[in-house]
């Protein structure tokens, strides 16, 4: 229920200004899969609650199905299935002999909903602070939070607000596109994440990522956590180039120069190949851009043909 028991006095006394003075380079992530019914609920919290209650293990895919059946993709209990239809979903998930619809509805709701309103309230606070301090802020962009993020962008036009993982699996492809285009038109930075959708395919697939890249509205690419199963950024770049969605230069820019422009405090002398910048470079295979051949650090070759020198 996100009760704060893990927070120490050091955490509770921290402020944005203190953290920026200490070297922080951005604000966020505002919201998250733990507090807004996202991936962490599916691979950690809901399975843990069901395990604790019934002694039964459920997969992240099953947890997602139950969550959507109870609360819908937008985390509105009014969108949930009726008890008879929820009972049918339990049957499909192999849980009909373990619990009933009312019990699983209560468990899922108690796992997901207590943190949602507080987490969304944080969007407004972080957006205001980003505008005040002049640092970029990263936001959890997903079906339950998109409206609040759009409103925050509208209310804080001078802030640099990054719509993180805009390819979030809670979106349908058309939703991901329309929301990203709306946010971008209002001045937000559109980020997509590899998650586990390129090669691992643990819970997600590349449908939304491909759709957003095809529209040309993406600014940056990140990995996000994906329960520790994230795919590498270079794997995504290879996919974009291999599918002829982007040129190699445009795809690489999503992970380098564009990031440097959005996060100048983080980038410093990184992100671009030009005079005066740090000579930290990788050389990748020209057929498979996800394969690193050589690594240069401070102008010195430290890996050649995959071998550490």
């Amino acid at each position: 229920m996100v009760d704060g028991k893990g927070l120490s006095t050091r955490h509770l006394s921290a402020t944005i200004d203190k953290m920026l003075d200490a070297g922080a380079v951005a604000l966020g992530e505002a919201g998250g899969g733990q507090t807004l019914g996202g991936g962490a609920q599916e691979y950690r919290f809901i399975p843990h609650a069901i395990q604790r209650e019934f002694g039964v293990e459920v997969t992240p895919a099953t947890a997602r199905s139950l969550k959507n059946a109870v609360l819908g993709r937008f985390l509105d209990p009014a969108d949930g299935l009726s008890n008879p239809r929820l009972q049918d979903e339990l049957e499909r998930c192999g849980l009909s002999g373990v619990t009933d619809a009312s019990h699983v509805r209560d468990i899922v709701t108690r796992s997901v909903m207590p943190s949602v309103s507080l987490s969304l309230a944080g969007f407004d606070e972080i957006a205001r602070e980003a505008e005040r301090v002049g640092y970029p802020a990263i936001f959890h962009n997903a079906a339950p939070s998109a409206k609040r993020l759009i409103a925050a962008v509208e209310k804080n036009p001078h802030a640099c607000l990054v719509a993180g993982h805009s390819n979030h699996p809670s979106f349908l492809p058309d939703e991901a596109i329309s929301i990203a285009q709306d946010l971008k038109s209002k001045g937000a930075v559109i980020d997509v994440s590899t998650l586990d959708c390129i090669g691992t395919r643990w819970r997600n697939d590349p449908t939304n990522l491909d759709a957003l890249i095809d529209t040309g509205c993406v600014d940056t690419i990140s990995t996000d956590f994906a329960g520790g199963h994230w795919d590498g950024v270079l794997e995504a770049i290879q996919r974009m180039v291999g599918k002829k969605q982007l040129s190699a230069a445009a795809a690489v820019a999503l992970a380098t120069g564009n990031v440097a422009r959005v996060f100048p405090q983080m980038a410093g002398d990184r992100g671009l190949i030009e005079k005066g910048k740090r000579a930290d470079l990788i050389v990748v295979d020209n057929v498979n851009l996800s394969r690193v051949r050589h690594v240069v650090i401070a102008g010195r070759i430290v890996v050649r043909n995959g071998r550490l020198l």
Side-chain angles (χ1 to χ4, degrees), residues 42-88:
E42 296 165 5
Y43 62 72
R44 174 68 177 128
F45 293 107
I46 293 173
H48 179 70
I50 292 174
Q51 172 83 43
R52 187 177 59 229
E53 193 81 9
F54 307 116
V56 174
E57 290 187 18
V58 298
T59 66
T62 296
R64 178 182 292 180
S65 296
L66 294 175
K67 183 191 71 180
N68 289 344
V70 172
L71 300 170
R73 291 182 299 108
F74 294 88
L75 301 190
D76 184 348
D79 294 337
L81 301 180
S82 64
N83 272 2
R85 293 180 63 197
L86 181 54
Q87 196 65 44
D88 292 340

Side-chain angles (χ1 to χ4, degrees), residues 265-276:
Q265 295 89 348
M266 176 176 70
D269 59 358
R270 301 165 174 84
L272 295 168
I273 301 174
E274 61 184 29
K275 186 175 181 179

Side-chain angles (χ1 to χ4, degrees), residues 285-297:
D285 190 279
N286 68 325
V287 175
N288 180 0
L289 279 74
S290 67
R291 175 175 291 176
V292 177
R293 293 292 191 186
H294 316 303
V295 178
V296 179
I297 297 179

Side-chain angles (χ1 to χ4, degrees), residues 228-286:
H229 298 275
W230 71 88
D231 291 321
V233 168
L234 285 175
E235 294 172 75
I237 289 173
Q238 167 62 22
R239 179 179 180 83
M240 296 166 194
V241 176
K243 287 173 61 67
K244 296 183 168 46
Q245 294 173 298
L246 294 174
S247 68
V252 168
L254 299 180
T256 54
N258 289 11
V259 179
R261 282 184 278 273
V262 174
F263 298 97
Q265 295 89 348
M266 176 176 70
D269 59 358
R270 301 165 174 84
L272 295 168
I273 301 174
E274 61 184 29
K275 186 175 181 179
K277 297 291 186 183
R278 182 185 298 257
D280 288 355
L281 306 167
I282 60 171
V283 181
V284 301
D285 190 279
N286 68 325

Side-chain angles (χ1 to χ4, degrees), residues 143-200:
S145 62
K147 281 187 181 178
R148 185 62 67 97
L149 177 54
I150 291 169
V153 172
E154 291 172 342
K155 283 189 246 178
N156 301 274
H158 302 297
C160 177
L161 306 185
V162 180
H165 51 60
S166 293
N167 57 316
H168 195 274
S170 62
F171 291 129
L172 299 176
D174 287 348
E175 289 171 347
I177 291 170
S178 63
I179 288 166
Q181 289 176 331
D182 188 17
L183 284 164
K184 191 175 182 73
S185 72
K186 292 175 167 65
V189 175
I190 305 303
D191 172 76
V192 292
S193 290
T194 62
L195 299 166
D196 53 353
C197 73
I198 309 299
T200 301

